[in-house]
Amino acid sequence: MTGNGKTDKKFHTLQHQISVVFICLLLLSIFTITLINGLFLEKYYVSKKVEVLEEAKEVLSQMNLDDILQYDTDIEEDKKGATDEISDEIERSSSRNNLTWIIVNEENSGYYYWGENNMAKMLRSKLFGYINNLDQDMQHSRVLKKTDTCTMWQVHDRFAGMEYVECWGQFDNGYYFLIRSPLESIKESASISNSFYFIVGIIIIVVSGIVILVMTNRITRPISELTKLSEKMSDLDFDARYQSRAGNEIDVLGDNFNKMSRKLESTISELKSANNKLQKDIEDKIKIDEMRKEFLDNVSHELKTPIALIQGYAEGLNENISDDPESREFYCEVIMDEASKMNKLVKNLLTLNQLESGKDAPVMERFDIVSLIRGVLGSMHIMIEQKEATVIFEETEPVYVWADEFKIEEVVTNYTSNALNHLDGERKVEIKVLQEEDCVKVTVFNTGTPIPEEDIPNLWNKFYKVDKARTREYGGSGIGLAIVKKIIEDHKGKIWAESVEGEGTAMHINLLKYKDNSHYCIEDKSGKKSAKGLR
């Protein structure tokens, strides 16, 4: 079954179908010619021989037979003179049509013979047997035509071992005659003709097959290209274009396909962005009250400590608790540091609030994630030197993803800064980009104390801190990973962390690999990654 529930049907290309039809027609033609030759060629030749024998009979009946008959008592000179009286036309006709004939008078005392030497006596006896119904071959003859003056039949001569077409009877002047022509040449001709047609037919089929394949390929290539183009369009891949030129209506169809592909690509891109926004609006409206309450509680908790510190140190300055310039400078630095942390917290809260309210939807585009990571590492060069970290990133070839470039840069920056702030041991940070079937996996690993397994599910919660003292030391508020999670969720991607025992922590994200603009990589309940389209 196909994905839409329809049963798959056996598929043959148009080129294959046309080639098979034409080759079958050629085979049928050769077979028909061979069959017709085998069944009717001999009969046709026999019918033509009957006509030849009739013509020969008419010509012989018009001869002056009294002057040319040979008698048993004639001398050789008489025979020679009589032979000279036979017209050249009769001789040529008899030789051309392979005829043998004999004419005998009523008393059987005189005859004239034309044919092979030493056959006159045999034909004379055979004609005598026919006249008196004494010849045994008459029983095995097949009558072809019979009139009052002659009989034509196909007979097998047991003495010669051959079949003949014979015409025998009696002229109006009383003379008997027998005219015959062998059928062996006819059968041989039919056999040769069939063999010739078969050999020529094979050659014609081979040559025609090659020509048909070449021509049908030229004809069907544009159609095949349109078929592949339509398949790609059905998968929402609009990069392919029709490029062949058939010089007919197919080119017009191909140009229309190209126009439709461009319009669909633009329309679907707009629909995806609109669909994302609509989906997020619906989801966020349901959660907006809870978000506001949670936001106020967390902000109050996070601001309480820095406000208390600022208030305390400001009161100390106001009351001149210490006249020491270094102490006053220290008090001012604490106030400025806490104010900076509060400013950073407020900015992060505003960013997270915009993401959660759906006012900052991702702008989906195609970009190179490798170049983005290298740019982030370049901007963090000073921090890397301060942390005395070794950063490993070996990717060189471009890897394209479908996402919001600005927001993904924020994700990579957050992951990298967290890794640098939690370094220990070998003080090594390793970033990897792995291409999967429909997704691109980005991993940031840092050496140091692994995150406890029980804390990993809570990493993405707002204001959650695994090591509160260390987090406060570098100014962390516990909101960065919540922002990262929300960005990746908006991209319909996946985010997770792993603790590598004795080595450190690995943070992962999955983004859509730029392929056909139609799928996002997500994970089902079983943990199996799959690719699903926007809804």
Side-chain angles (χ1 to χ4, degrees):
M1 299 288 287
T2 57
N4 57 7
K6 295 182 180 179
T7 304
D8 290 328
K9 294 183 179 179
K10 193 172 182 180
F11 179 78
H12 296 290
T13 63
L14 184 60
Q15 180 183 10
H16 176 264
Q17 292 177 347
I18 294 175
S19 300
V20 169
V21 169
F22 275 97
I23 291 175
C24 287
L25 287 176
L26 288 173
L27 286 172
L28 180 62
S29 300
I30 299 300
F31 174 76
T32 303
I33 291 173
T34 304
L35 181 64
I36 291 173
N37 280 353
L39 294 177
F40 302 107
L41 185 59
E42 183 177 342
K43 295 179 181 179
Y44 178 74
Y45 280 175
V46 170
S47 67
K48 288 298 181 181
K49 281 295 181 183
V50 169
E51 295 177 3
V52 170
L53 293 179
E54 286 182 336
E55 292 176 1
K57 168 181 167 290
E58 292 298 326
V59 172
L60 293 178
S61 67
Q62 297 173 9
M63 293 172 56
N64 189 358
L65 299 175
D66 291 329
D67 295 335
I68 64 174
L69 282 182
Q70 300 174 10
Y71 294 91
D72 294 337
T73 58
D74 286 347
I75 60 175
E76 294 298 325
E77 288 77 7
D78 294 335
K79 293 179 183 179
K80 184 176 183 302
T83 304
D84 291 339
E85 295 181 14
I86 301 299
S87 68
D88 292 337
E89 181 183 353
I90 296 176
E91 292 182 1
R92 286 195 299 270
S93 177
S94 299
S95 297
R96 184 173 60 251
N97 294 303
N98 197 16
L99 299 180
T100 301
W101 45 267
I102 188 170
I103 300 173
V104 181
N105 60 10
E106 288 182 291
E107 295 81 11
N108 197 19
S109 59
Y111 72 95
Y112 185 78
Y113 168 77
W114 172 268
E116 299 178 3
N117 294 332
N118 303 322
M119 294 291 291
K121 185 176 180 181
M122 186 274 291
L123 284 184
R124 191 174 178 184
S125 299
K126 184 172 284 292
L127 178 57
F128 179 77
Y130 288 169
I131 295 170
N132 296 286
N133 199 22
L134 300 175
D135 195 289
Q136 296 182 7
D137 291 339
M138 298 176 63
Q139 301 174 3
H140 305 289
S141 63
R142 182 169 69 89
V143 176
L144 303 174
K145 187 175 181 180
K146 190 170 184 179
T147 66
D148 294 337
T149 58
C150 71
T151 299
M152 292 191 186
W153 58 30
Q154 182 177 337
V155 64
H156 179 78
D157 191 332
R158 67 182 185 279
F159 296 106
M162 297 171 59
E163 286 194 1
Y164 291 87
V165 176
E166 295 181 343
C167 176
W168 69 277
Q170 189 176 21
F171 293 132
D172 293 337
N173 55 14
Y175 297 121
Y176 294 97
F177 66 92
L178 171 60
I179 309 171
R180 62 169 13 186
S181 179
L183 282 178
E184 288 301 318
S185 60
I186 296 175
K187 292 183 176 180
E188 184 179 359
S189 297
S191 176
I192 293 173
S193 175
N194 287 334
S195 300
F196 176 77
Y197 276 122
F198 179 78
I199 295 172
V200 172
I202 294 297
I203 295 174
I204 291 175
I205 289 172
V206 172
V207 175
S208 300
I210 295 174
V211 173
I212 289 170
L213 287 174
V214 173
M215 295 303 297
T216 53
N217 179 65
R218 183 177 178 183
I219 295 172
T220 59
R221 185 174 61 249
I223 300 176
S224 300
E225 184 177 346
L226 284 175
T227 302
K228 294 177 182 178
L229 179 60
S230 65
E231 291 175 355
K232 291 183 178 180
M233 290 177 63
S234 67
D235 293 331
L236 301 182
D237 179 5
F238 303 106
D239 290 335
R241 293 290 184 269
Y242 174 78
Q243 297 177 342
S244 296
R245 281 295 172 262
N248 51 37
E249 293 85 350
I250 297 178
D251 291 345
V252 178
L253 180 61
D255 292 337
N256 290 335
F257 262 82
N258 292 341
K259 294 177 183 177
M260 181 172 60
S261 177
R262 288 190 291 268
K263 290 182 179 179
L264 283 174
E265 182 178 17
S266 174
T267 303
I268 290 177
S269 178
E270 294 174 0
L271 285 174
K272 286 178 181 177
S273 298
N275 193 32
N276 273 343
K277 186 177 182 304
L278 178 61
Q279 185 178 9
K280 291 170 183 55
D281 287 343
I282 295 174
E283 293 174 355
D284 291 343
K285 284 181 180 179
I286 299 174
K287 300 177 181 178
I288 191 168
D289 290 336
E290 296 179 1
M291 289 172 57
R292 286 176 179 172
K293 183 179 182 300
E294 183 181 2
F295 175 78
L296 291 174
D297 292 342
N298 288 325
V299 168
S300 299
H301 177 75
E302 288 296 322
L303 292 179
K304 180 172 63 177
T305 300
I307 289 175
L309 288 172
I310 291 173
Q311 183 179 1
Y313 280 93
E315 289 175 354
L317 288 173
N318 185 50
E319 295 174 2
N320 294 319
I321 293 177
S322 175
D323 294 332
D324 184 5
E326 292 183 0
S327 298
R328 287 198 300 272
E329 183 178 353
F330 173 74
Y331 278 35
C332 290
E333 287 179 354
V334 170
I335 293 172
M336 292 171 60
D337 183 56
E338 293 300 325
S340 175
K341 291 178 181 177
M342 290 175 61
N343 183 48
K344 181 179 179 182
L345 172 63
V346 171
K347 287 182 178 179
N348 285 338
L349 286 172
L350 290 174
T351 299
L352 181 60
N353 183 56
Q354 284 184 324
L355 290 172
E356 291 180 338
S357 63
K359 296 179 180 179
D360 191 14
V363 179
M364 308 301 288
E365 58 184 333
R366 170 182 177 271
F367 65 90
D368 178 15
I369 187 70
V370 174
S371 297
L372 184 145
I373 294 173
R374 291 200 176 278
V376 170
L377 293 178
S379 64
M380 301 180 70
H381 178 69
I382 296 176
M383 183 178 181
I384 293 172
E385 289 183 346
Q386 290 175 347
K387 298 291 184 179
E388 298 180 353
T390 300
V391 178
I392 302 173
F393 182 55
E394 299 177 347
E395 294 293 333
T396 58
E397 297 296 326
V399 177
Y400 293 100
V401 296
W402 183 253
D404 187 315
E405 185 174 4
F406 177 77
K407 288 183 170 57
I408 298 303
E409 181 179 3
E410 188 174 353
V411 172
V412 174
T413 301
N414 185 284
Y415 265 15
T416 307
S417 62
N418 277 349
L420 292 171
N421 287 320
H422 292 83
L423 276 178
D424 207 347
E426 297 179 3
R427 305 191 68 78
K428 181 174 67 174
V429 175
E430 185 175 4
I431 303 176
K432 293 182 179 180
V433 176
L434 178 62
Q435 297 190 63
E436 299 182 352
E437 182 178 358
D438 294 299
C439 307
V440 174
K441 177 182 175 183
V442 179
T443 300
V444 179
F445 170 80
N446 68 278
T447 58
T449 304
I451 299 175
E453 291 293 333
E454 61 272 15
D455 289 323
I456 289 179
N458 300 316
L459 288 177
W460 324 109
N461 296 337
K462 288 176 287 188
F463 305 105
Y464 185 82
K465 303 171 185 176
V466 177
D467 186 347
K468 295 180 174 59
R470 188 165 186 175
T471 302
R472 179 163 185 79
E473 180 182 339
Y474 65 82
S477 61
I479 300 177
L481 289 180
I483 294 175
V484 168
K485 180 184 178 184
K486 183 57 181 172
I487 290 174
I488 300 302
E489 285 179 348
D490 287 347
H491 284 76
K492 301 299 180 184
K494 180 192 172 187
I495 182 170
W496 75 103
E498 292 178 323
S499 291
V500 183
E501 186 175 354
E503 295 185 22
T505 304
M507 309 290 286
H508 310 280
I509 59 171
N510 268 1
L511 296 173
L512 171 67
K513 181 178 179 181
Y514 182 80
K515 186 176 180 182
D516 58 9
N517 302 355
S518 61
H519 299 84
Y520 281 103
C521 180
I522 63 172
E523 185 178 61
D524 59 20
K525 294 181 180 179
S526 65
K528 181 179 179 182
K529 289 188 285 296
S530 62
K532 294 187 177 180
L534 289 175
R535 295 291 184 268

